[in-house]
Amino acid sequence: GFNGFPEGIRNYAGYFGDEGSDAIFWSSTEDGSNFAWYRYLSYKYSFLDYSNNELRTGFSVRFVRD
């Protein structure tokens, strides 16, 4: 199973938001030198999406144990 808590984001300006409604996790796949892919889980709107964003944005990191 997968447990993802809606911790929200921190943008590059230091703003924290979306706590309690969104869980956004970085992927290990980069998209250029300043961007990487992420997965977006919205508890508020019940959807899963993916996109890319600047690396200076603060998203969650999921650790996987082998």
Side-chain angles (χ1 to χ4, degrees):
F2 172 78
N3 292 320
F5 297 100
E7 297 294 336
I9 68 163
R10 183 197 52 82
N11 72 10
Y12 62 87
Y15 165 79
F16 289 87
D18 299 326
E19 295 105 294
S21 66
D22 297 326
I24 306 167
F25 296 93
W26 282 117
S27 147
S28 61
T29 307
E30 293 184 358
D31 185 25
S33 61
N34 296 319
F35 287 80
W37 291 96
Y38 65 88
R39 287 286 181 175
Y40 183 100
L41 296 132
S42 176
Y43 290 85
K44 185 176 181 180
Y45 299 109
S46 299
F47 73 86
L48 169 67
D49 199 5
Y50 70 94
S51 189
N52 65 351
N53 206 325
E54 289 184 276
L55 292 172
R56 62 185 179 163
T57 303
F59 295 150
S60 298
V61 177
R62 182 170 180 244
F63 292 95
V64 178
R65 180 175 37 185
D66 288 335

